[in-house]
Amino acid sequence: MQELKYPFDGEYLLKKKKSLRKALLAENRQRLHKKVAVLGGSTTHDIIKLLELFLLDMGIEPEFYQSEYNRYYEDAVFGNEELDRFGPDLVYIHTTSRNVPDNGFPQIGDTREQSEEKIENFFQQFLQVWEALERRYACPVIQNNFEKPSYRILGNMDAWDYRGREWFLGRLNQRFHEYAQSHENFFIQDIDWLAAEYGLSKWNDPLYWHMYKYSPAVGAIPELAFNLANIIKAIYGQNKKALVLDLDNTLWGGIVGDDGPENIEIGQETGVGQVYSEFQTYLKAHKDMGILLNINSKNEEDNALAGLNRPDTVLKPEDFIVIKANWDPKDENLRRIAEELNIGEDSLVFVDDNPSEHHRVRLNVPAAAVPEMTEGQEPQPEQYIKVLDRSGFFEPVSLSGDDLNRSNMYRTNAMRKKLENSFADYREYLLSLEMRAEIESFAPEYMQRIAQLTNKSNQFNLTTRRFTRDEIESMSENRGYVTLYGKLADKFGDNGVVSVVIGEKKGKILDIILWLMSCRVLKRDMEFAMMDQLVEQCKKEEITTIRGFYHPTEKNGMVKDFYAGQGFEKDSEDAKGNSVWSMAVA
C-alpha cells in the first residue's frame, strides 16, 4: 500500500488508520501471524494501531497484548497470567526518558559515585525485566533506548558533567547497547536517533505527556511505529535482498549516451558530482554488508560500462551481480534479474529517477519495492540516501560472515550458471562442479547462520516455521530432536551453511518440523544428500518412520511435491493444501 511507504504522511495515517486497516485485511495475501506483547511506560494505543498497519503492509499479521499504563516492569518481573496465556512471539518494551523519575536523575548536589549508582540501579531494573522475559518466553525482545532530555539544567555541561541528565541518559544508553551486543535475541530501537531526526522539541511536547501520558507526542508515533515495524520484519526474515539501480540521473548526473562518459557528473569536481559520489558510497556500503547490487538501465551496454569505469566512480562493474543495459522494458528486465539471482521479485528494490518507470514497475511487478525518488517529475539526488535509509528495506538485526560474503557467493553462482550453459548434459555439469558436502548435527559455530536461515528462507521451506537461536540451541541439546545442517562447497568456492533439517521424535516416528534450503544452491541435488544423511541418522536412533509436512505459502510452491520426489507417500491433504507424508526407514 503506497500510503504506508516512506515518505508517508503521518497525519493522514493517524486520521485514516481504521479505513487503511480494513483495506489491508481485505487483501488476498498470506501473512506470517505473530503475537506481539507491548509493555509500555506510556500510553501505547496509537502505537499499536499504527504498528499494525505497517506490519500488515510488510507481510506480518500481528496479534497484540497491551500492558496497562506503566506496568511494563510488573508484567515482566512478577508475571501476568493473561500475558502467559497470550504466549508472545515477540516482546516490545516502550519506554522513554519520561520513565526516569525526577529523583532517579543525578541531582546538582550528588557526587560522581552517587550519579554512577543511580545509573546502575536503573539499569538493574531493566536487567530484571529482560532476564525475566527470557526465562518465561525465550522470544525476541525489542527495547527502546532513551532520547535526550527536553531541557538541560546545566546547559552545554549537561552532556559531559556527571550531574547532567543528558550525561546520565547517554551512559544508560551505553549500558543498554552493551547488553544488546552480548545477547543475540535482544534488539534496541534507537529512539535517541529517531527523536533527533524528528525534532526533539516536537517529539517531547510536554502537553501530550502531562495531559494524556503520550511519549512521544502523537505526531511522532507513525515515525516510531514504522521504525519498529522494520526491526520486526527483519527479525522474521521479511527484508529485501537486492537493489536494482538505474544509471542516468540515478548513479550519476546526466545521460551517458548523450553527454559521453567524460561529461557525466560524478566525483569531487562539482557539488552535484559530490552528491552522486556520496550516494554511490552509500550503496557500496550496502554491497559490503551483503546486499546484492544490480543495474537496470536503458542504455547501450558499452556506454553503461564506460560510465562505471570512470576513474572517479565509487561503484565499478565488478560491484554488480547482474547488469541489464539494453532497451527492453524495465519491468521485464526486473523479472529477469530476479530469475538470474534466483530470488523472489518481492526481494527487489527498484531505484530509478523516472516517475513513468516507477508506475510501470509498480503495475507489472507489484511485489518489488519502488521507493519514490522524485519530487513531481524532477529527480532529487540529494534526497536519495534519506529515502532509501529511512525506508528500512535492508534493516539488519545481525551481520554474519555469510552476510558479508553474500555478493561474492552470488557472483560465483553467476560463474556456475555460465559453466552450466556450456554443458548439454546437466548431470555432467553437476559432476564438473566437484561438489563437496558437509552434513552434521548442529554445531555451535554455525548457530547464528542456522537461526538466520530459519528466519529468512521462504522458497525452499516446507513448513516456514521460525525459530530463535535460543530455541535452536535448545533443540540441538535435546535428544528428543534430530538436527542436521548442510554446507556445500565446489571448485568455485564455499557456499557455507545452505540447508537445515529439524526432526522431532515421537516414539518410533520422526516428524520433520523444519526442512529448508538456501535458494543459492537450488537444483544442485543437495536435498538428496541431506535426506540420505537423515535416513542414516534415523537408523542409528531406531526410528522406523519419517513423517514430513508441507504448509503452502505464497512463496514455497516450488517444494509442493518435494516429499513425493524423495519417495514419501501422501497420507492426507486438507482443503488449504496442507499435506502430510510418510516414508518407512528401510
Side-chain angles (χ1 to χ4, degrees):
M1 184 176 288
Q2 198 59 35
E3 294 95 325
L4 293 164
K5 304 296 190 287
Y6 185 85
F8 47 77
D9 183 339
E11 185 176 345
Y12 173 83
L13 297 184
L14 286 164
K15 186 181 300 183
K16 298 290 186 179
K17 53 185 180 288
K18 289 184 179 179
S19 60
L20 291 171
R21 179 179 184 271
K22 184 178 180 180
L24 285 163
L25 291 174
E27 293 176 347
N28 183 21
R29 180 180 180 186
Q30 287 184 322
R31 296 182 174 95
L32 296 175
H33 179 264
K34 294 297 172 183
K35 295 181 178 181
V36 179
V38 178
L39 310 185
S42 61
T43 302
T44 56
H45 301 292
D46 284 311
I47 292 174
I48 287 173
K49 289 175 182 176
L50 269 293
L51 178 61
E52 181 181 27
L53 295 183
F54 289 121
L55 287 177
L56 286 170
D57 189 54
M58 294 174 183
I60 298 172
E61 184 174 355
E63 179 182 349
F64 290 104
Y65 167 88
Q66 182 178 204
S67 73
E68 294 181 15
Y69 165 71
N70 204 22
R71 297 280 297 179
Y72 65 93
Y73 179 85
E74 290 81 359
D75 271 7
V77 175
F78 302 122
N80 179 304
E81 290 184 3
E82 183 183 353
L83 180 55
D84 288 345
R85 286 193 300 271
F86 179 72
D89 297 311
L90 180 144
V91 176
Y92 167 53
I93 305 171
H94 176 70
T95 49
T96 68
S97 60
R98 288 289 189 182
N99 293 113
V100 183
D102 285 337
N103 61 4
F105 282 111
Q107 306 299 305
I108 296 300
D110 283 351
T111 64
R112 186 182 186 94
E113 289 73 21
Q114 288 172 318
S115 294
E116 296 278 6
E117 185 180 359
K118 287 182 176 179
I119 291 173
E120 184 61 27
N121 289 341
F122 202 62
F123 175 75
Q124 287 298 323
Q125 290 182 29
F126 279 91
L127 189 60
Q128 286 181 281
V129 169
W130 305 332
E131 290 180 345
L133 292 172
E134 170 61 27
R135 285 194 305 272
R136 191 170 287 116
Y137 307 118
C139 68
V141 172
I142 301 175
Q143 168 71 61
N144 289 351
N145 61 9
F146 296 98
E147 79 279 31
K148 289 176 171 48
S150 55
Y151 56 85
R152 302 177 301 168
I153 295 293
L154 299 179
N156 288 287
M157 281 179 60
D158 216 71
W160 55 266
D161 188 279
Y162 62 84
R163 293 157 293 195
R165 291 189 171 202
E166 187 177 354
W167 175 87
F168 174 88
L169 293 170
R171 291 289 296 275
L172 200 57
N173 281 346
Q174 184 179 357
R175 296 294 300 277
F176 278 37
H177 301 164
E178 289 169 352
Y179 184 87
Q181 290 168 12
S182 60
H183 293 78
E184 292 184 355
N185 218 23
F186 180 87
F187 309 93
I188 293 290
Q189 174 164 228
D190 187 8
I191 69 169
D192 187 25
W193 185 89
L194 280 177
E197 206 280 340
Y198 183 77
L200 189 61
S201 294
K202 292 190 296 179
W203 176 283
N204 268 333
D205 189 331
L207 178 65
Y208 282 102
W209 175 252
H210 294 299
M211 294 294 291
Y212 312 109
K213 291 297 180 279
Y214 272 105
S215 181
V218 170
I221 286 175
E223 301 283 343
L224 179 140
F226 180 67
N227 187 75
L228 177 60
N230 278 322
I231 301 173
I232 295 173
K233 63 103 167 118
I235 290 172
Y236 292 114
Q238 301 298 300
N239 270 357
K240 306 299 183 185
K241 297 179 180 178
L243 280 159
V244 181
L245 303 150
D246 178 41
L247 291 176
D248 297 330
N249 292 316
T250 300
L251 290 191
W252 53 61
I255 300 173
V256 68
D258 293 342
D259 303 331
E262 68 280 3
N263 293 317
I264 59 175
E265 292 204 77
I266 191 72
Q268 301 303 309
E269 300 305 316
T270 68
V272 172
Q274 290 175 25
V275 168
Y276 284 106
S277 288
E278 184 178 31
F279 184 47
Q280 288 198 18
T281 300
Y282 175 81
L283 296 171
K284 177 91 168 182
H286 277 71
K287 178 242 180 185
D288 292 342
M289 74 176 194
I291 306 307
L292 310 176
L293 303 188
N294 307 274
I295 294 295
N296 185 2
S297 174
K298 287 185 175 176
N299 253 308
E300 298 294 338
E301 186 170 335
D302 288 347
N303 288 333
L305 294 176
L308 291 169
N309 278 315
R310 272 182 53 136
D312 49 2
T313 56
V314 179
L315 292 170
K316 303 296 183 184
E318 56 268 23
D319 289 312
F320 300 93
I321 308 299
V322 180
I323 296 179
K324 298 289 185 188
N326 53 42
W327 298 102
D328 294 341
K330 290 195 174 182
D331 54 311
E332 294 180 11
N333 276 337
L334 203 66
R335 290 196 194 92
R336 294 185 190 121
I337 289 171
E339 289 174 5
E340 290 184 34
L341 294 176
N342 206 9
I343 61 178
E345 293 171 2
D346 60 347
S347 295
L348 303 178
V349 178
F350 175 65
V351 178
D352 195 294
D353 67 289
N354 189 332
S356 64
E357 299 290 2
H358 298 172
H359 176 72
R360 184 181 181 107
V361 169
R362 285 177 185 143
L363 191 65
N364 296 318
V365 195
V370 186
E372 197 59 64
M373 311 299 285
T374 58
E375 183 71 34
Q377 295 293 314
E378 294 301 317
Q380 292 186 294
E382 67 280 2
Q383 297 296 318
Y384 288 175
I385 291 177
K386 181 178 179 180
V387 171
L388 284 184
D389 205 60
R390 293 297 303 280
S391 293
F393 297 123
F394 309 106
E395 176 81 33
V397 289
S398 66
L399 285 175
S400 68
D402 269 13
D403 291 324
L404 303 181
N405 197 39
R406 184 175 292 114
S407 285
N408 288 333
M409 290 179 176
Y410 274 85
R411 186 169 293 105
T412 55
N413 263 352
M415 296 167 64
R416 294 181 185 101
K417 187 68 175 177
K418 186 176 181 180
L419 177 66
E420 178 188 342
N421 292 336
S422 70
F423 280 86
D425 185 276
Y426 188 72
R427 184 174 182 276
E428 288 183 10
Y429 158 68
L430 290 180
L431 290 172
S432 76
L433 291 176
E434 300 170 12
M435 292 184 288
R436 303 174 304 282
E438 173 185 314
I439 303 174
E440 301 286 351
S441 298
F442 287 178
E445 60 266 32
Y446 300 129
M447 288 300 182
Q448 182 180 1
R449 171 60 177 165
I450 291 167
Q452 187 183 62
L453 268 177
T454 65
N455 287 293
K456 283 188 174 183
S457 299
N458 294 303
Q459 294 183 79
F460 195 114
N461 194 329
L462 277 298
T463 59
T464 61
R465 290 187 62 178
R466 312 295 184 180
F467 296 104
T468 66
R469 176 166 176 168
D470 287 344
E471 289 171 325
I472 288 167
E473 289 178 343
S474 176
M475 286 185 285
S476 72
E477 297 167 358
N478 187 334
R479 288 191 56 80
Y481 292 88
V482 172
T483 64
L484 292 176
Y485 73 85
K487 293 184 69 179
L488 186 65
D490 59 31
K491 66 182 182 181
F492 290 107
D494 188 350
N495 288 283
V497 175
V498 293
S499 190
V500 175
V501 176
I502 300 175
E504 183 178 4
K505 296 180 189 176
K506 293 184 176 178
K508 295 290 185 178
I509 297 174
L510 183 78
D511 281 351
I512 301 175
I513 61 174
L514 183 72
W515 187 309
L516 60 84
M517 192 163 67
S518 170
C519 60
R520 63 177 178 244
V521 295
L522 294 180
K523 299 180 182 178
R524 303 275 295 279
D525 288 355
M526 183 65 177
E527 62 270 29
F528 294 104
M530 293 292 290
M531 182 62 79
D532 288 345
Q533 191 61 35
L534 180 64
V535 169
E536 290 303 313
Q537 189 67 30
C538 285
K539 289 178 181 178
K540 293 177 184 177
E541 303 279 347
E542 298 183 349
I543 298 291
T544 60
T545 303
I546 301 175
R547 192 159 56 191
F549 304 86
Y550 169 68
H551 302 312
T553 70
E554 285 183 333
K555 299 181 180 180
N556 72 352
M558 66 179 299
V559 291
K560 179 182 179 181
D561 298 318
F562 169 77
Y563 284 117
Q566 295 286 344
F568 283 61
E569 296 290 333
K570 186 190 290 187
D571 297 332
S572 64
E573 182 174 354
D574 65 19
K576 294 182 179 180
N578 297 293
S579 55
V580 181
W581 304 73
S582 63
M583 180 179 72
V585 177

